[in-house]
Amino acid sequence: MSPYPHVPTRSIRVFDTTLRDGEQAPGNAMTPDQKVELALAIEATGVDTIEAGFPGSSPSDFEAIRLSAQELTTAKLSTLNRAVREDISLAAEAGGIDHHIQIMATGSDVHLEHKRGLTRSEGLKEIVDSIRFARELGFTDISLAIEDASRGTDDLLRPLIEAGVEEGARTVVLADTTGCRIPSEFGAQVARVRSWIHDEITLSVHCHQDLGLSLANSLAGIEAGADEVQSTLAGIGERAGNTPLEELAAVLLYKGELLGATSRLHTQKLYDAYMVLSRIIGIMTPRNKAIFGDNAFATQAGIHQAGMLRNPVTYEYVEPHLFGRERGILIGRHSGRSVIRNMFDQMGLGVERELLDEIYDTYITGREDGTCIALSELRRIVTERLQRPAAPVLSAEFAVSA
């Protein structure tokens, strides 16, 4: 049960940062045209906001943002920017003043001292000036994105947040930039920040995967009052990555009632978007990756298969068709003969013990590399075997004389 008071079901906003944080990881670079293609595929999944890039970082990001602003129709365009006027001016030029602009604040003494070389008052001053400048340019959808917020103390964060909201920020983003928090810690921080700001201010969370807890921390944030989760397809991003969009979607679909939260995501479109991402950056998917993994909906264990052949619910909690996937029954040395018998029954072959043993010995136990074979492929093999004429049986007398 949630440690926080239950609230009526509310729609959680989903912010996708695959094109920005996801691309920042080594090996994930994309051209502007590729970014637009992927942005449209992600938009089809029903996310609320797509962060197209960091306009001040490179001409390539600037161009990707400019093109995305022309193509996106249902998702809100977003950009990330440093708290400097030059970045904000570039953002306005690239995406127009109607897009969602994120302005980065420095949220911990660690970053202020060792990264920025600033005092707390200097960090606060640059945020006030930047948000004020963004409003002067005509921006109205402004986000105060606090880097390393999870390591920030309340006496640093609260004045920063209150000043940002006072100047016109309509969203506050708490980033667990180093992925250092566990759910109870991060949830408690989100709850405190929620108590500092008005209900009409959106509270967003951006969690990293360094301890493998990005999704758990995002869910703790939702339970504590966060309105939005920032995520990426397959969880790609800096170092170990970010909250995986597809896993967040699955939890909200299956556990939304328990969390008091839902989303407007079209889960059937997620795998299509992932295929676009895979083609563009050549991502290698772990077999055991939730939702997108090669084995996420596949099994070769005979005990599991026996149950699934009777009713998939025995071992299949997440339904593959809801995520654009198909169930995979793979035959290998852990499968046994039951699944082949079941296939024979479906083909109207009855017991056919001799044929069953031949197929099992030749195509299952006889595979020296230990790999599996798909049930559909095995069915094809059996069909071809049945179509071959039986070899003539020679009499003993003929065999001897020959």
Side-chain angles (χ1 to χ4, degrees):
M1 295 295 292
S2 168
Y4 306 101
H6 178 73
V7 295
T9 299
R10 56 203 173 93
S11 182
I12 299 300
R13 293 183 59 83
V14 178
F15 180 111
D16 184 88
T17 181
T18 305
L19 304 178
R20 199 275 304 168
D21 198 319
E23 196 211 18
Q24 285 179 188
N28 292 351
M30 306 175 220
T31 67
D33 287 339
Q34 287 173 332
K35 276 195 170 188
V36 172
E37 180 187 5
L38 183 55
L40 293 174
I42 293 172
E43 183 179 49
T45 70
V47 301
D48 298 279
T49 307
I50 294 176
E51 188 176 43
F54 192 153
S57 67
S58 69
S60 178
D61 260 29
F62 183 95
E63 180 65 6
I65 293 161
R66 188 186 69 81
L67 294 174
S68 296
Q70 298 172 2
E71 298 293 334
L72 293 177
T73 55
T74 59
K76 185 88 172 180
L77 174 74
S78 180
T79 62
L80 183 68
N81 306 271
R82 294 170 298 181
V84 295
R85 293 190 172 207
E86 181 182 1
D87 275 19
I88 296 166
S89 295
L90 283 172
E93 186 180 346
I97 60 171
D98 292 330
H99 81 270
H100 173 251
I101 183 172
Q102 293 198 105
I103 299 175
M104 280 195 296
T106 304
S108 71
D109 289 315
V110 171
H111 275 213
L112 281 170
E113 179 182 355
H114 298 291
K115 176 187 173 183
R116 303 292 313 285
L118 298 178
T119 64
R120 286 187 176 189
S121 61
E122 288 171 334
L124 178 62
K125 181 180 179 180
E126 69 176 9
I127 283 301
V128 169
D129 179 71
S130 298
I131 294 177
R132 189 173 295 169
F133 179 67
R135 289 187 64 194
E136 289 172 359
L137 290 181
F139 283 103
T140 57
D141 193 358
I142 303 171
S143 176
L144 174 67
I146 309 176
E147 187 179 24
D148 206 30
S150 59
R151 290 193 292 181
T153 57
D154 287 2
D155 61 337
L156 186 162
L157 293 173
R158 186 163 186 171
L160 189 64
I161 290 169
E162 290 179 343
V165 170
E166 178 69 23
E167 287 301 326
R170 309 309 298 164
T171 299
V172 173
V173 184
L174 299 179
D176 184 21
T177 302
T178 62
C180 66
R181 294 306 182 203
I182 63 174
S184 58
E185 289 179 295
F186 191 64
Q189 184 182 48
V190 171
R192 292 196 301 275
V193 174
R194 180 77 273 175
S195 72
W196 301 341
I197 57 179
H198 298 300
D199 290 344
E200 64 267 22
I201 302 299
T202 298
L203 182 56
S204 182
V205 294
H206 178 111
C207 299
H208 277 263
Q209 184 74 346
D210 299 73
L211 290 176
L213 294 172
S214 61
L215 177 61
N217 284 333
S218 294
L219 297 176
I222 290 173
E223 290 185 300
D227 309 293
E228 178 181 82
V229 173
Q230 298 196 356
S231 60
T232 62
L233 271 175
I236 68 169
E238 290 280 9
R239 303 179 311 282
N242 296 65
T243 301
L245 172 60
E246 68 282 358
E247 295 177 21
L248 174 67
V251 173
L252 291 177
L253 178 63
Y254 285 97
K255 297 294 185 180
E257 185 175 355
L258 184 63
L259 292 167
T262 186
S263 75
R264 65 184 193 93
L265 291 171
H266 310 308
T267 59
Q268 298 92 336
K269 298 290 187 179
L270 288 166
Y271 195 64
D272 290 341
Y274 176 65
M275 287 293 95
V276 175
L277 174 68
S278 298
R279 171 170 51 79
I280 289 174
I281 68 172
I283 191 171
M284 299 297 292
T285 308
R287 294 189 185 99
N288 61 334
K289 180 77 170 69
I291 311 300
F292 288 160
D294 291 339
N295 290 346
F297 301 104
T299 179
Q300 73 146 330
I303 294 175
H304 287 208
Q305 290 176 344
M308 291 182 68
L309 289 169
R310 293 181 178 92
N311 189 329
V313 75
T314 51
Y315 287 98
E316 193 175 80
Y317 180 72
V318 179
E319 299 158 280
H321 71 278
L322 294 180
F323 293 87
R325 304 297 304 277
E326 293 182 358
R327 181 178 304 117
I329 301 293
L330 303 177
I331 316 301
R333 61 189 179 87
H334 296 291
S335 300
R337 288 174 167 80
S338 295
V339 67
I340 304 178
R341 291 193 192 98
N342 182 274
M343 184 186 72
F344 275 27
D345 289 342
Q346 292 180 3
M347 297 175 70
L349 298 178
V351 179
E352 297 285 348
R353 181 72 191 199
E354 185 176 336
L355 177 60
L356 189 150
D357 288 343
E358 175 192 334
I359 294 297
Y360 186 76
D361 293 340
T362 302
Y363 297 100
I364 308 304
T365 60
R367 298 174 73 86
E368 295 182 357
D369 59 1
T371 56
C372 300
I373 185 171
L375 191 61
S376 58
E377 175 65 11
L378 193 62
R379 188 190 303 271
R380 183 190 64 77
I381 290 170
V382 171
T383 301
E384 290 181 355
R385 166 64 180 77
L386 292 172
Q387 290 173 348
R388 293 200 303 266
V393 178
L394 302 179
S395 68
E397 179 182 356
F398 181 80
V400 172
S401 62

